[in-house]
């Protein structure tokens, strides 16, 4: 009996802490999402799933949901694809590697909001750096109005998203690469494996757990990432670059529909919960093997 | 215990005594929206001056960027942690009054106090016959035009009507180069208002008889007019990527010949582009002579749950004296709200401000309706679609009007 209860008693303090930080706000948000709430957070009548019904009838919300999934997938996959070669290069021993590593990591030190605001200026149609650079190189004759339409604004936002996710991802991969023993490559080379085979058969499988972690963590960060889109377009024009977080912010703090905003955040929480479960399962599988 | 230690103890004890007496003072917390980098310093200075005259009251100024003001107020109020006084947009006031968040000020307002104000600016804060806020900031809109570009294009006077304006913009286009006649805002805060300028000239209203005016002929004509400016290359390209600040910057750089905005642009030009030759003119009139400008006030309100209403009122009384108002409006470039202040030569002899004040009789203030921000967002989205050519003006506006009518219900 003693032995059976002891683990639970030991877990209790951290459980209470987690409950206070996670479960209590969750309960509050659920309650907000099921009630009529005025713009100052005062709870009125219970209205059941009305807020959810309104949301699913709103084409802007549906579009924002799909766009969020596209945004997350593009940024995460783009980041992984670019980060692997960067990590491989930075793992090689070459003159000036220290500086190269610093250059790759440097953007990490700048707040995301500031990076996004700098990009907003750079993308300005008439006085932006990007247009003047492209004109200077003779690539374009007339200015491109990057942020005027979703067709140019959203790809740029994805590009910025990838750019700011690289440092973190490369760091994870470098950690992974340093744990690959050199004698494996030596042995493979003696057996006649070329560098592509070495990458495919040794590096990639051994890097796999790190790719998994980078995948899930990036997914969670990017899914919730607010500053890039907010600072460049605020989800506009006409909601055409909205993702769920910017939609949530507008609904809650601009329009003052706190009940609907709570419902959006619950839906986001549900989607992220699925990712987290995947992450935990991956981590457990790693621990077993 | 040595004497030294005793002295230390005594000093410590007196410090504690002092700090408790400091706590016994009344503290009035004031949330301030940051209009410019001068806002915070002005209020800190005003608070110090007030504290010097009222040693028992402490003023605690909290400066918030304008964009975050709504968010801060929403979270503070729902947590019951709001300040005693706060600046809010007068267009939000009805929502606050309806929920009983703000206190009426009538018990404190003497006829003398009321007489300080120019009535046009005080009346937007009056609801159900009670004064719920005092106009802390007031502005109107007029058309800034670049005299050099106009002269180069052979135009002598600023356009009186939208038809003239279009002819002028065509002349400016003929100059070639990357100079555009109409600086048109199509992004972020007040995208809707930029559309209303034309709509008012065409005789339209934001809300008429409790219904949205977006599906009126005036609104449809305006949308077509603005769209023709865009399609014919008379505005800067990519209007939906230009916020109010962006268009103002284009004007300062001499890339657009006109911009419709508030008097604070004069202050900015003075420091950022002192060589720019510009004039200020009324917003062009419509075919039947209708014209209008947007009058905006922000109000400072007293919260119902404030425990220091008396002290808070004293501070209000202080910042609405002629001296304080003059200082503040000079810093920010707002219009004077105080009748005596308006006689100050700085305002009375200022050519730019004269144009703005002359427009006030035709000024439209945001209508007293619930859900202003909701309507603003619907309107801006519809207008952006039209500017981008993603929707037929008439159909898009009708759809938006239906949505606004839902909000107005």
């Amino acid at each position: 009996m003693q032995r059976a209860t002891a683990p639970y008693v030991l877990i209790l303090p951290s459980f209470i802490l987690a409950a206070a930080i996670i479960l209590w706000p969750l309960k509050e948000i659920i309650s907000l999402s099921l009630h009529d709430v005025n713009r100052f957070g005062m709870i009125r009548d219970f209205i059941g799933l009305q807020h959810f019904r309104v949301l699913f009838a709103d084409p802007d919300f549906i579009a924002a949901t799909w766009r969020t999934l596209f945004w997350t997938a593009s940024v995460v996959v783009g980041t992984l694809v670019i980060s692997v070669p960067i990590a491989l290069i930075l793992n090689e021993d070459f003159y000036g590697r220290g500086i190269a590593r610093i250059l790759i990591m440097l953007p990490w030190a700048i707040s995301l909001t500031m990076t996004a605001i700098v990009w907003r200026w750079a993308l300005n149609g008439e006085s932006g750096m990007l247009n003047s650079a492209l004109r200077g190189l003779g690539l374009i004759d007339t200015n491109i109005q990057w942020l005027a339409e979703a067709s140019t604004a959203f790809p740029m936002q994805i590009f910025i998203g990838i750019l700011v996710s690289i440092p973190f991802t490369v760091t994870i991969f470098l950690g992974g690469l340093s744990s690959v023993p050199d004698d494996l490559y030596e042995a493979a080379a003696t057996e006649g494996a070329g560098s592509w085979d070495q990458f495919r058969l040794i590096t990639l499988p051994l890097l796999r757990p790190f790719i998994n972690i980078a995948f899930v963590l990036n997914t969670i960060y990017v899914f919730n990432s607010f500053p890039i889109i907010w600072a460049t377009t605020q989800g506009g024009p006409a909601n055409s670059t909205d993702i769920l977080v910017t939609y949530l912010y507008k609904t809650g703090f601009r329009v003052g529909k706190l009940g609907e905003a709570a419902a959006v955040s619950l839906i986001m929480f549900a989607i992220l919960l699925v990712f987290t479960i995947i992450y935990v399962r991956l981590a457990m599988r790693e621990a077993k093997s | 215990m040595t004497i030294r230690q005793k002295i230390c103890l005594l000093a410590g004890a007196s410090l504690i005594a002092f700090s408790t007496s400091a706590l016994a003072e009344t503290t009035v917390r004031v949330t301030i929206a940051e209009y410019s980098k001068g806002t915070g310093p002005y209020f800190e200075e005003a608070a110090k001056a007030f504290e010097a005259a009222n040693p028992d009251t402490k003023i605690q100024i909290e400066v918030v960027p304008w964009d975050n003001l709504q968010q801060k107020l929403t979270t503070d109020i729902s947590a019951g942690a709001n300040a005693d006084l706060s600046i809010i947009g007068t267009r939000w006031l009805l929502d606050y009054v309806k929920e009983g968040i703000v206190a009426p000020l009538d018990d404190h307002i003497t006829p003398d106090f009321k007489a300080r104000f120019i009535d046009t600016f005080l009346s937007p804060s009056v609801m159900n016959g009670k004064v719920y806020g005092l106009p802390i900031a007031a502005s109107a809109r007029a058309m800034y035009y670049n005299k050099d570009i106009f002269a180069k294009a052979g135009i002598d006077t600023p356009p009186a009507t939208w038809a003239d304006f279009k002819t002028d913009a065509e002349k400016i286009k003929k100059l070639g180069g990357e100079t555009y006649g109409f600086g048109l805002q199509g992004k972020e805060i007040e995208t809707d208002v930029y559309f209303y300028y034309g709509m008012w000239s065409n005789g339209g209203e934001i809300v008429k008889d409790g219904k949205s005016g977006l599906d009126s002929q005036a609104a449809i004509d305006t949308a077509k007019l603005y769209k023709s400016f865009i399609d014919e290359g008379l505005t800067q390209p990519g209007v939906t990527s230009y916020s109010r600040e962006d268009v103002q910057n284009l004007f300062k750089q001499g890339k657009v010949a006109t911009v419709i905005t508030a008097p604070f642009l004069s202050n900015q030009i003075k420091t950022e582009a002192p060589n720019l030759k510009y004039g200020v003119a009324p917003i062009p009139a419509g075919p039947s002579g209708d014209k209008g400008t947007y009058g905006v006030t922000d109000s400072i309100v007293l919260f119902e749950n404030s425990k220091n209403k008396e002290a808070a009122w004293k501070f209000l009384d202080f910042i609405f004296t002629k001296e304080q108002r003059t200082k503040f409006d000079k810093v920010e470039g707002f219009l004077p709200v105080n009748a005596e202040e308006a006689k100050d030569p700085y305002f009375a002899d200022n050519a730019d401000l004269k144009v703005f004040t002359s427009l006030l009789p035709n000024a439209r203030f945001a209508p007293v309706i619930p859900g202003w921000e909701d309507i603003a967002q619907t309107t801006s989205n519809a207008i952006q679609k039209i500017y981008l050519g993603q929707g037929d003006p008439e159909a898009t506006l009708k759809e938006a009007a239906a949505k606004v009518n839902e909000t107005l219900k």
Side-chain angles (χ1 to χ4, degrees), chain A residues 2 86 143 211:
Chain A
Q2 274 267 311
I86 292 179
N143 287 330
I211 294 178

Side-chain angles (χ1 to χ4, degrees), chain B residues 51-378:
Chain B
E51 284 166 356
N54 300 273
D56 55 336
T57 311
K58 232 181 109 36
I59 303 290
Q60 193 183 322
I61 303 285
E62 299 163 1
V63 182
V64 191
W66 177 259
D67 281 344
N68 295 351
L69 181 63
Q70 282 236 69
Q71 184 200 342
K72 179 180 164 61
L73 288 172
T74 309
T75 31
D76 282 1
I77 292 168
S78 56
N82 53 285
D84 299 284
L85 296 167
S86 176
I87 291 181
I88 71 168
T90 307
R91 54 202 178 276
W92 311 334
L93 188 57
L94 182 67
D95 290 336
Y96 283 67
V97 171
K98 267 198 343 199
E99 304 293 344
I101 305 275
V102 292
L105 302 169
D106 299 78
D107 292 348
H108 300 282
I109 294 179
T110 58
D112 272 355
F113 183 85
K114 204 167 184 173
R116 287 186 202 169
F117 291 92
I118 297 171
D119 203 45
T120 326
F121 290 129
L122 186 60
S123 53
S125 319
V126 180
M127 276 165 204
N128 311 324
K130 286 184 182 151
V131 181
Y132 281 98
L134 299 173
I136 190 83
S139 79
R141 302 298 148 80
M143 181 182 265
Y144 282 75
Y145 64 99
N146 184 317
K147 284 185 173 165
D148 284 340
I149 300 178
F150 269 51
K152 239 190 258 168
I155 310 161
D156 308 326
T157 49
T161 64
W162 281 92
D164 292 348
F165 185 29
K166 198 154 177 201
T167 327
D168 291 349
E170 280 158 3
K171 283 183 195 160
I172 289 165
K173 191 192 173 184
K174 286 210 186 90
L175 292 175
E178 288 174 339
T179 312
Y180 308 99
F182 185 19
L184 177 55
Q185 176 194 343
K187 186 184 181 187
E188 294 173 9
I189 184 170
E190 287 200 359
T191 298
D192 50 333
V193 174
Y194 221 94
F195 174 75
Y196 295 148
Y197 300 141
M199 193 176 85
W200 284 320
S201 303
N202 278 324
E205 293 292 339
I206 301 175
V207 176
K208 204 172 184 185
D209 307 324
K211 293 265 180 208
S212 166
L214 280 183
D215 52 0
S216 66
Q217 196 55 45
I220 295 165
D221 289 346
T222 307
K224 286 182 179 158
L225 177 72
Y226 279 25
K227 181 72 176 130
S228 72
F229 270 95
I230 296 173
D231 291 343
E232 291 162 33
L234 307 177
T235 67
Q236 83 279 12
V239 291
T240 46
S241 61
Y242 289 90
S243 69
R244 183 169 73 186
E245 278 63 40
D246 295 333
V247 184
Q248 287 177 176
N249 287 339
L250 289 180
F251 184 77
K252 288 177 221 162
Q253 295 159 3
K255 288 183 175 167
V256 296
T258 60
V259 60
I260 302 173
T261 189
F264 48 65
L265 182 61
S266 302
N267 279 10
Q268 294 178 17
I269 292 174
K270 215 181 283 166
T271 55
E272 293 167 36
N275 297 325
L276 189 77
K277 286 206 192 83
Y278 71 94
V280 182
I283 296 168
S288 47
D290 279 316
K291 51 165 100 177
T293 181
Y294 183 44
V296 197
T297 64
D298 289 335
S299 298
I300 186 160
V301 295
L302 173 61
F303 286 104
E304 188 63 67
N305 64 358
S306 162
K307 295 198 175 65
N308 307 308
K309 288 205 177 83
E310 283 304 321
W313 173 259
K314 264 194 185 165
F315 183 62
L316 282 185
D317 193 31
F318 175 76
I319 58 173
F320 281 97
T321 53
K322 184 195 158 199
E323 292 69 34
Q324 289 300 324
R325 288 307 307 174
T326 314
K327 262 191 215 167
F328 178 68
D329 288 328
K330 276 184 190 168
V331 168
E332 302 292 357
F334 288 135
L335 297 180
V337 296
N338 181 307
E340 284 299 311
E341 173 197 3
K343 290 178 193 153
D344 184 300
Y346 177 86
F347 301 108
D349 301 339
N350 182 320
D352 293 358
L353 286 182
K354 266 189 206 160
V355 178
F356 283 98
T357 36
S358 75
L359 300 177
L360 286 176
N362 281 321
R364 326 278 171 112
F365 288 84
V368 183
I369 43 171
W372 167 264
E373 292 296 325
D374 200 348
I375 292 168
Q377 193 171 305
T378 308

Side-chain angles (χ1 to χ4, degrees), chain A residues 38-42 44 120 125-126 135 145 147-149 232 234 237-239 249 253-255 257, chain B residues 70-71 74 78 95-96 99 101 178 187-188 237-238 240-243 246 255 373-374 377 381 384 388:
Chain A
N38 78 359
R39 67 172 307 134
F40 306 107
M42 291 166 200
R44 300 281 156 80
R120 178 191 172 124
E126 293 301 312
R135 285 177 90 147
Q145 307 295 328
L147 299 177
E149 285 182 49
T232 48
Q234 294 196 356
N239 294 332
Y249 184 87
F253 295 118
R254 259 222 190 132
V255 182
K257 291 177 177 164
Chain B
Q70 282 236 69
Q71 184 200 342
T74 309
S78 56
D95 290 336
Y96 283 67
E99 304 293 344
I101 305 275
E178 288 174 339
K187 186 184 181 187
E188 294 173 9
T240 46
S241 61
Y242 289 90
S243 69
D246 295 333
K255 288 183 175 167
E373 292 296 325
D374 200 348
Q377 193 171 305
N381 283 347
Q384 286 178 331
L388 286 170

